[in-house]
């Protein structure tokens, strides 16, 4: 494709992109595809001859789009959002065109220096400690893996990097039973063994119980184990529970544990001074992750990872083969030494476009709207005799379930809510997901999509109410 | 930013993007920035109020661009290319707009099914074994980490995931001393210890010596170690050396080692039947990685990772918390279980656009042009009395150095070539990188950039020749 053809097709795409964002509500939120629908439409082999862009794009519209779940739809209430925004998409267009590699400073100085400054902007805008250093990772899974590896190296005097874990004492990691599954995955990757990830009980709000943490550490010390790390959750995936950071930090300090704070979703709320209490005690953390690619209007991938001690991170990951030497080592940041991957996209550009385009006040306004919408929805749940709030709502995730007054059997309630969710998502009018809290099947509704407005949450509530009644009639519950 | 403003600005960007690609040769290939140049121009804090897009974009042009090293410049001969193409940029535009997460099938069925089919297309187009399964990873570093972890789990009966490496026999990994640094990094991440990565000698062509591999394994067995894995390089980073796969595969089979094949750069050459001999014996491999984001005109990130046994990969990485259950487990691929990160971009779309837009024949034509350009350059080096070829040229990387006939001191030659490279890169007219081969400082010139034509390689050679003479006069060597 020549440049003039690129220009023409790119203009066509821009109009499609703008139309898509304008008319996104005409699509079913959750794809109604069945397994194999797309596979059946795709040839088994790549074409030998090049094809016209018009043909490729027609297939995109007719074959791909029906298999898309529309994460940017304002009625996307599932999981946590993976928000985009116009400013972020514009940045992605430039990133793709430049196609630079930011593996070392020299391979694009601006990519490295903009990342350094953006991490400072975010740090200060969120009230994080001023001496922290940040780096963009792809996901919180990877960032938490970096934390676990740094903790492992600090605990073993950097000996596990050298000779492996074979002769080390058993390193123990503590986290609440509500901790994200990525921590278990990361513990396994690091060679530490999932048996050594100790899940700590939570309280009625699904937050870690500090006294249970202390008991687990004491028990491990008696058994000759080496307590290494505690993961505190600021906003669990299940219910955005907030672990008590000051109490956990005190225990971490007492026993010399690495304190990693996972605020992957909720961290964005710290842009609001009135929500900054959720990270009270953060100055005691060794590492911290939050994802601007979730709630901060910045396209995936963009996970912000912060450490209080840069040297430990670098000592964990630095490798300097001849072909990567540039003569500037020590003078500049070479972000390949700050994580796993060597190649790196120019992700800082998205943050720069988003932060400047909205300004901190613009982002705050959107976050406050989301938080208010969740409170409104929570009130509907609480004031309805057949619905039940299942967890506190510290942020903008509402955990609830349908609970008709004449049903008490826990299994029956679980099945009923599972059926309700299936019907709601099949409608295409909204998309929610679920979790289990203390064995109970719970519907999760997150008011955090970039474009969500009052009417979308109101429609969601009306639909949930109507569908629950329809289901009850169908099952002869009423 | 409202949608109409987005439409307007996106159209402006498209014209800038097309102009950039048309006029890219007016930029210095390697950024001429000094450390701190951009940082000094960026405010210390994020703005409180939103700013006009015009202001942001003006800063992009005036502050960011001078700090960009232009990886898409046809005179980019450094490292390995990270190629883009018009088709790939168009796909990235759509990917950014949709902003979908492909973590599980349900969160965008088309993202999952297109990835499955694209991995099949690539597999078949490259002559890889028909029973292999593929998945897109971000980088070869991550893909090789997946291979090492799978090998670790197979070798320990999946016990290191469970209880850690503490009670395991010492697992040993073998790779040539030319192996990419990511293998050492990955071995450390996996808790195996870099002492247990055994570097094997190479021959005069920088390819692994199978008899040295066998000796190392035998020695380890005598010491009670557990030989676990061998990494074979098809195209090393230093000089694109090709390890002898059939001989290595036979040894791997004899000793029960996991055979991982790293063809991160060179794998794209297998689109050409006449180059497929470089992976002869590939049917014996357990895992294989190559990066369409290097030489296959597909924007970073897009690393293709293949395994012969899908179940081992899934058993290494699967985790299924309640909030990720969709009821379709087992019926569809959930790619979060095929690697480290949970969140995933819709990267298959780029491959689809590139493979269809160029067709296999279109890609072959470009690859053959690159390979021929490298041969031309090689001939210039060989026929010049003051230049020296430093390694075979099996593909499109030429390793050479300036070697005036009156200089023989090895250190002097190293310094001279280092100075030559610095001067060449400072000219802005081309960008090359270096490595060391058997202690000798070597210039690396890769003819693999999407847009590189004969004239760019000719200009590079003229510049190198002229600059070497200038340098010699300056140093009074002539």
């Amino acid at each position: 494709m020549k440049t003039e053809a690129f220009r023409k097709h790119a203009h066509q795409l821009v109009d499609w992109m703008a139309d898509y964002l304008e008319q996104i509500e005409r699509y079913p939120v959750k794809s109604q595809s069945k397994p194999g629908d797309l596979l059946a439409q795709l040839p088994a082999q790549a074409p030998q001859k090049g094809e016209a862009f018009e043909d490729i794009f027609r297939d995109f519209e007719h074959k791909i789009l029906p298999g898309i779940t529309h994460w940017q739809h304002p009625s996307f209430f599932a999981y946590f959002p993976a928000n985009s925004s116009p400013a972020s998409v514009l940045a992605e267009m430039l990133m793709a065109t430049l196609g630079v590699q930011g593996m070392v400073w020299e391979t694009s100085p601006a990519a490295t220096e903009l990342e350094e400054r953006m991490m400072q902007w975010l740090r200060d805008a969120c009230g994080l400690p001023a001496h922290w250093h940040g780096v963009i990772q792809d996901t919180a899974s990877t960032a938490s893996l970096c934390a676990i590896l740094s903790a492992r190296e600090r605990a073993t005097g950097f000996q596990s990097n050298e000779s492996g874990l074979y002769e080390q004492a058993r390193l123990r990691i503590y986290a609440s039973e509500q901790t994200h599954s990525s921590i278990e995955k990361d513990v396994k990757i690091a060679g530490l063994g999932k048996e050594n990830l100790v899940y700590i009980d939570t309280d009625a709000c699904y937050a870690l119980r500090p006294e249970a943490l202390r008991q687990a550490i004491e028990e491990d010390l008696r058994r000759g184990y080496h307590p290494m790390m505690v993961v505190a959750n600021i906003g669990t995936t299940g219910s955005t529970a907030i672990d008590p950071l000051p109490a956990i930090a005190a225990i971490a300090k007492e026993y010399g544990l690495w304190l990693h704070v996972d605020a992957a979703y909720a961290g964005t709320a710290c842009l609001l001074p009135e929500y900054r209490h959720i990270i009270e005690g953060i100055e005691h953390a060794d590492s911290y992750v939050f994802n601007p690619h979730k709630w901060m209007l910045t396209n995936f991938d963009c996970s912000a990872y912060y450490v209080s001690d840069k040297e430990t991170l670098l000592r964990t990951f630095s490798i300097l083969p001849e072909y990567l030497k540039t003569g500037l080592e020590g003078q500049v940041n070479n972000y390949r030494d700050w994580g796993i991957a060597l190649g790196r996209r120019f992700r800082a550009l998205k943050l720069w476009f988003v932060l400047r385009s909205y300004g901190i006040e613009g982002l705050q306004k959107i976050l406050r709207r989301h938080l208010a919408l969740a409170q409104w929805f929570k009130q509907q749940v609480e004031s309805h005799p057949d619905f039940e709030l299942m967890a506190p709502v510290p942020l903008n995730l509402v955990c609830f379930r349908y609970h008709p007054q004449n049903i008490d059997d826990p299994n029956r309630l679980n099945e009923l809510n599972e059926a309700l969710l299936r019907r709601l998502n099949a409608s295409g009018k909204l998309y929610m997901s679920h979790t289990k809290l203390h064995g109970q099947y719970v519907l999760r509704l997150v008011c955090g999509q970039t474009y969500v407005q009052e009417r979308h949450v109101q429609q969601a509530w009306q639909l949930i109410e109507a569908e629950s009644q329809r289901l009850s009639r169908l099952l002869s519950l009423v």
Side-chain angles (χ1 to χ4, degrees), chain A:
Chain A
M1 193 185 296
K2 302 285 179 221
T3 311
E4 273 318 300
F6 168 75
R7 190 188 300 269
K8 183 180 117 188
H9 299 311
H11 279 302
Q12 289 165 342
L13 287 199
V14 163
D15 281 321
W16 185 89
M17 288 154 64
D19 290 346
Y20 172 79
L21 293 174
E22 262 170 14
Q23 301 161 19
I24 193 166
E25 295 185 44
R26 69 179 187 178
Y27 296 96
V29 192
K30 178 172 176 289
S31 167
Q32 307 292 306
S33 279
K34 301 278 176 299
D37 277 358
L38 176 62
L39 277 171
Q41 300 176 71
L42 297 171
Q45 303 284 337
Q48 285 298 309
K49 307 277 183 198
E51 301 178 46
F53 186 73
E54 288 76 6
D55 295 337
I56 302 171
F57 188 69
R58 192 172 47 240
D59 283 350
F60 169 79
E61 283 195 287
H62 296 156
K63 296 176 182 172
I64 301 295
L65 269 188
I68 292 296
T69 290
H70 299 277
W71 283 69
Q72 307 311 319
H73 194 300
S75 297
F76 182 98
F77 301 108
Y79 301 101
F80 286 129
N83 283 343
S84 172
S85 65
S88 178
V89 173
L90 293 171
E92 287 272 11
M93 290 168 64
L94 293 173
M95 288 159 59
T97 305
L98 296 175
V100 303
Q101 273 297 340
M103 55 189 189
V104 291
W105 179 88
E106 187 177 277
T107 60
S108 258
T112 294
E113 296 193 7
L114 192 63
E115 182 161 339
E116 184 174 347
R117 186 53 48 96
M118 287 308 100
M119 290 294 98
Q120 292 166 353
W121 280 15
L122 267 188
R123 176 193 70 197
D124 297 344
C126 289
L128 300 172
H131 69 284
W132 279 11
H133 290 89
V135 56
I136 301 177
Q137 304 278 355
D138 59 351
T139 61
S141 298
T142 306
S144 292
L145 177 55
C146 291
I148 289 169
L149 293 168
S150 299
R152 187 190 74 184
E153 292 313 304
R154 193 178 76 177
T156 62
F158 295 88
Q159 281 309 299
S160 41
N161 259 358
E162 289 301 314
S163 34
L165 284 161
Y166 304 104
E167 289 171 13
Q168 298 295 335
R170 222 164 259 261
L171 301 166
R172 304 282 275 183
I173 303 97
Y174 310 89
S176 98
E177 42 93 6
Q178 289 292 319
T179 289
H180 191 264
S181 58
S182 59
I183 299 297
E184 180 185 325
K185 199 166 178 175
D186 292 339
V187 163
K188 289 157 74 176
I189 291 168
L192 300 165
K194 77 173 192 184
E195 287 174 10
N196 296 305
L197 171 57
V198 184
Y199 287 114
I200 307 297
D201 279 350
T202 55
D203 60 21
C205 299
Y206 305 103
L208 181 142
R209 289 177 46 235
E211 65 276 25
L213 170 63
R214 178 184 296 277
Q215 281 167 18
I217 295 169
E218 287 288 344
E219 173 65 21
D220 279 352
L221 287 171
R222 274 192 296 275
R223 294 159 78 187
Y225 293 164
H226 183 162
M228 172 183 112
M229 178 182 208
V230 57
V231 178
N233 295 289
I234 303 301
T236 57
T237 305
S239 68
T240 59
I242 313 287
D243 286 344
L245 204 47
I248 295 171
I251 295 172
K253 190 175 179 194
E254 183 179 342
Y255 292 96
L257 305 190
W258 184 286
L259 172 56
H260 175 57
V261 177
D262 178 353
Y265 178 68
T268 298
C270 298
L271 288 172
L272 301 172
E274 69 269 28
Y275 275 84
R276 217 164 276 164
H277 59 85
I278 64 176
I279 54 163
E280 189 197 331
I282 194 65
E283 66 277 12
H284 303 295
D286 294 288
S287 54
Y288 178 78
V289 60
F290 91 99
N291 291 344
H293 70 228
K294 284 195 166 77
W295 191 15
M296 217 193 82
L297 282 55
T298 308
N299 271 71
F300 183 89
D301 52 349
C302 187
S303 181
Y305 178 58
Y306 287 95
V307 294
S308 67
D309 170 22
K310 187 175 80 167
E311 295 314 315
T312 297
L313 180 68
L314 294 184
R315 208 168 146 192
T316 300
F317 286 112
S318 287
I319 279 179
L320 186 57
E322 186 63 31
Y323 47 77
L324 291 177
K325 288 182 185 167
T326 62
L328 291 168
E329 290 78 19
Q331 288 180 56
V332 293
N333 289 341
N334 288 319
Y335 283 121
R336 70 184 169 88
D337 287 335
W338 296 55
I340 296 168
L342 171 58
R344 309 182 86 247
R345 296 202 304 141
F346 186 9
R347 295 171 290 202
L349 196 70
K350 289 185 283 196
L351 281 176
W352 195 52
F353 274 37
V354 168
L355 287 167
R356 292 187 63 181
S357 183
Y358 289 90
I360 299 299
E361 290 178 8
L363 293 171
Q364 287 173 332
K365 195 174 153 195
I366 293 170
L367 299 180
R368 288 187 181 119
R369 185 180 80 220
H370 291 161
L371 290 155
L373 290 175
Q375 289 304 315
W376 179 86
F377 190 88
K378 175 191 168 215
Q379 283 159 15
Q380 309 314 305
V381 169
E382 284 185 314
S383 61
H384 196 295
D386 290 339
F387 283 87
E388 187 178 9
L389 195 70
M390 299 299 283
V393 184
L395 295 163
N396 56 342
L397 163 63
V398 184
C399 290
F400 67 104
R401 69 174 175 181
Y402 180 44
H403 188 162
Q405 294 165 70
N406 56 343
I407 301 185
D408 278 321
D409 177 53
N411 291 331
R412 194 78 196 282
L413 281 173
N414 284 356
E415 287 162 18
L416 187 63
N417 278 279
E418 200 173 342
L420 176 59
L421 182 64
R422 201 164 41 236
R423 292 170 65 94
L424 287 166
N425 287 343
S427 75
K429 292 180 186 157
L430 61 74
Y431 185 21
M432 290 196 297
S433 57
H434 80 285
T435 192
K436 277 190 176 162
L437 294 174
H438 290 170
Q440 294 166 318
Y441 193 97
V442 169
L443 306 180
R444 294 171 75 266
L445 183 134
V446 190
C447 302
Q449 215 290 324
T450 306
Y451 306 105
V452 65
Q453 302 288 343
E454 203 170 333
R455 67 185 166 88
H456 303 106
V457 182
Q458 286 170 355
Q459 283 163 9
W461 173 245
Q462 285 160 13
L463 189 71
I464 292 163
E465 212 189 351
E467 196 62 42
S468 66
Q469 288 177 19
R470 213 169 294 136
L471 184 64
S472 278
R473 280 195 299 274
L474 199 74
L475 300 175
S476 306
L477 298 179
V478 287

